[in-house]
C-alpha cells in the first residue's frame, strides 16, 4: 500500500483537536484509513466487532470484489484457474506468486509426493481417538501434533524451514484425512502412491482397499480437484485470520494451521456444506420439494433461528463466482454417476429459485455460496458428510500457509493484539466468603 494524496480528518464534538489520518491506497479495492497512530494521538480506540470495516493486514495473494463477484488468486480469475489448471499448479501459484512452468510443475509435484507419507507414530497417535470422533476434532489434533513429529521445521525465521513445513502440510493433509476416514470405518490405511495425481491419490487412499485396485474415474477426480481449487484461498476469512493471529505470536506453522482448522469447523464457515446437506436431507425426509415454501417461511422468521445454509456471504453481495462453477461441477458429477434425478439436487435447485426471487433474500443480497452445491457433489463422490469440512481444510491449507508466510515475512508484522471497550465492573473489593 502507498500513502495516497487524500487524507481523512476526524473531528470530535467534545472540543478536542481534530486528527488528520493518512489514507493508504492498494492496487484494487477500497482505500484504507491508516489509524495506527490514532490511540497515541487521541487516546481513543476504534470499535469494529466482526471486522466489518477493518483491514487487518496488507496482502498480495487473493483479491475479492464482493459486489462484482470477482475472485482472483495472484491476479488470475478463479473461473480460468478452475478450467485451465490443476490444484497443485494453484498451490504453486499461491505460494510463489506465479504459475509454474512445465518443468517447475513436474518438480513441484514430485516434491509434494515425496513428502506424502506420514510418520508411522502418527498412525499410532490416531489409534487413541474414538472411531466415532468427529473428523475435524481428529484433524485439529493431528495437525497440531505435527510439530511434535517434525521438529526440524519449527523455526519461523528460517525460509528453508517455511518451505519444509509448507510442503509437509500440503503433502500429508490428504494422507492424514484419508487415514481419519478409513480409521472411522475400521479399514486399513492405504499408503500414498507416487504414480497417481495428488487428487487421484487422495481418492484412492479414501476409498481403495488392499483387496481390489481402486478404479479411478477421471471426471470425478477432476471434479474434486476443482473443489480444491475453489476453496484454496479466500483472503482474510475467519479461519485465515485465525491462522494469522495465532501465527503472529511466533508459534509453529503446524499450530497456526491447527487453529485455522478449529475455526473452519464452525457451521457459519467451513461446516456450512455439511449443515447445508443436512438441511436438504431434512426437508427431503419431511416431504421434499412440496415443503420448500413452508421451510422458507421458517427461514424468514427470525425467531425460528433457522438459516438457509449455503446462502449468504460476508463479502459476496451479488454472487459467489465459486458457486457458479460448483453448480456446473455438481451437474457433471451427477451426470457421470447417472444421478441426474438426485432428489437433493432437485431440492437445492427449487430452494435456489425461490430464494433468488424472494424479497427477503433479494433485499439482503443473499445468494448461494460455494457450499450450496459442494455438499451434494461431495456426497455423490462418496464422501460422508462428516468428512466434508476436512475436504475444505485440505484445500484451504495452501491458503493458510501462504498467508501465514506472508505475515511472518512482512516488515510491518506485529503480534496481533486487538483492544476492547470495557463494560464490566470497575474496581471493587473482594468481600469475605461469609458475606457473599
Ligand atoms: N438465511 C437467512 N437469513 C440470512 C442468511 C441465511 N443464510 N444469511 C444472512 N441472513 C440475514 C440475517 O438474518 C440478517 O438479516 P437482518 O438484516 O434482517 O437482521 C442479514 O441477512 C445479514 O446477515 P448477517 O448474519 O449480519 O451477515 P454476515 O455477513 O455477518 O454473515 C454468513 C454471513 C455468516 C455467511 C451468513 O450469511 C450465514 O450464516 N449463512 C449461512 C451459513 C453459510 O452458508 N456459511 C458459509 C459461508 S461461505 C464459506 O465459509 C465458504
Amino acid at each position: 500500500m502507498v500513502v495516497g494524496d487524500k487524507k481523512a480528518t476526524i473531528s470530535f464534538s467534545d472540543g478536542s483537536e481534530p486528527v488528520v489520518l493518512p489514507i493508504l491506497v492498494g492496487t484494487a479495492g477500497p482505500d484504507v484509513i491508516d489509524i495506527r497512530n490514532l490511540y497515541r494521538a487521541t487516546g481513543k480506540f476504534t470499535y469494529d466487532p466482526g471486522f466489518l470495516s477493518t483491514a487487518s493486514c496488507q496482502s498480495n495473494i487473493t483479491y475479492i470484489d464482493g459486489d462484482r463477484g470477482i475472485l482472483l488468486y495472484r491476479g488470475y480469475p478463479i473461473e480460468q484457474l478452475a478450467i485451465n489448471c490443476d490444484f497443485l499448479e494453484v498451490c504453486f501459484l499461491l505460494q510463489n506468486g506465479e504459475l509454474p512452468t512445465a518443468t517447475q510443475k513436474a518438480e513441484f509435484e514430485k516434491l509434494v509426493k515425496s513428502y506424502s507419507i506420514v510418520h508411522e507414530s502418527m498412525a499410532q497417535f490416531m489409534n487413541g481417538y474414538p472411531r466415532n470422533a468427529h473428523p475435524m476434532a481428529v484433524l485439529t489434533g493431528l495437525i497440531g501434533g505435527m510439530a511434535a513429529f517434525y521438529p526440524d521445521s519449527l523455526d519461523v525465521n528460517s525460509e528453508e524451514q517455511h518451505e519444509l513445513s509448507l510442503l509437509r502440510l500440503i503433502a500429508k493433509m490428504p494422507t492424514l484425512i484419508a487415514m481419519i476416514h478409513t480409521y472411522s470405518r475400521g479399514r486399513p490405511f492405504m499408503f500414498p502412491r507416487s504414480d497417481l495425481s495428488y487428487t487421484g491419490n487422495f481418492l484412492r487412499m479414501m476409498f481403495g482397499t488392499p483387496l481390489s485396485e481402486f478404479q479411478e474415474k477421471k471426471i470425478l477426480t477432476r471434479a474434486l480437484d476443482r473443489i480444491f481449487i475453489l476453496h484454496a484461498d479466500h483472503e482474510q476469512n475467519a479461519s485465515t485470520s485465525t491462522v494469522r493471529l495465532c501465527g503472529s505470536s511466533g508459534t509453529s506453522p503446524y499450530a497456526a494451521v491447527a487453529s485455522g482448522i478449529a475455526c473452519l469447523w464452525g457451521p457459519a464457515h467451513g461446516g456450512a456444506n455439511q449443515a447445508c446437506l443436512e438441511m436438504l436431507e431434512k426437508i427431503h425426509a419431511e416431504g421434499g420439494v412440496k415443503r420448500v415454501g413452508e421451510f422458507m417461511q421458517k427461514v424468514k422468521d427470525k425467531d425460528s433461528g433457522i438459516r438457509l445454509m449455503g446462502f449468504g456471504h460476508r463479502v459476496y453481495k451479488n454472487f459467489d463466482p465459486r458457486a457458479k462453477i460448483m453448480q456446473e461441477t455438481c451437474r457433471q458429477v451427477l451426470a457421470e454417476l447417472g444421478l441426474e434425478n438426485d432428489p437433493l439436487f432437485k431440492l437445492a435447485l427449487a430452494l435456489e429459485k425461490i430464494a433468488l426471487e424472494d424479497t427477503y433474500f433479494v433485499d439482503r443480497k443473499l445468494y448461494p455460496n460455494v457450499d450450496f452445491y459442494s455438499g451434494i457433489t461431495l456426497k455423490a463422490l462418496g464422501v460422508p458428510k462428516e468428512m466434508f469440512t476436512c475436504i475444505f481444510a485440505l484445500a484451504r491449507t495452501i491458503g493458510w500457509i501462504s498467508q501465514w508466510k506472508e505475515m511472518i515475512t512482512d516488515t510491518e508484522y506485529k503480534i496481533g493484539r486487538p483492544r476492547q471497550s470495557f463494560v464490566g465492573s470497575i474496581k471493587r473489593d473482594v468481600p469475605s466468603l461469609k458475606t457473599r
Side-chain angles (χ1 to χ4, degrees), residues 415-431:
I415 186 169
R417 195 350 182 144
R419 309 305 285 253
Q420 64 170 11
S421 171
F422 182 68
V423 292
S425 297
I426 52 165
K427 188 176 174 224
R428 51 186 176 155
D429 293 324
V430 178

Side-chain angles (χ1 to χ4, degrees), residues 241-253:
S241 298
T242 304
V243 170
R244 280 185 178 257
L245 189 57
C246 178
S248 76
S249 71
T251 188
S252 80

